Amino acid sequence: MAWFNDWNEKNPDSPIEITNKQLVGKVKQMATPSASRMLKAAPKGLRGRLADQLSADAEE
């Protein structure tokens, strides 16, 4: 975490701050299956096709 402290010292106007809420959100995200994370991150126009492809791959 030395880079973290170094950044904050060199950039007092834009420090990096990590909150408990951010940590909890990241832990929840890591706990979800990778296919679900991929679907959630995909653009809305691709989600349907991606979901179809993932379900077809899962059936094989």
Side-chain angles (χ1 to χ4, degrees):
M1 293 295 261
W3 67 270
F4 183 80
N5 292 330
D6 187 46
W7 171 269
N8 286 341
E9 288 174 10
K10 291 180 180 176
N11 302 286
D13 294 335
S14 57
I16 298 173
E17 297 176 351
I18 301 173
T19 65
N20 283 338
K21 185 177 179 179
Q22 290 171 317
L23 289 174
V24 168
K26 187 56 88 170
V27 169
K28 285 182 181 179
Q29 180 185 16
M30 291 171 54
T32 60
S34 63
S36 296
R37 286 194 312 261
M38 189 184 320
L39 279 174
K40 190 172 184 177
K44 286 185 180 182
L46 295 176
R47 287 181 191 166
R49 285 186 280 167
L50 184 57
D52 292 342
Q53 183 64 38
L54 289 172
S55 64
D57 289 346
E59 290 175 1
E60 292 177 0

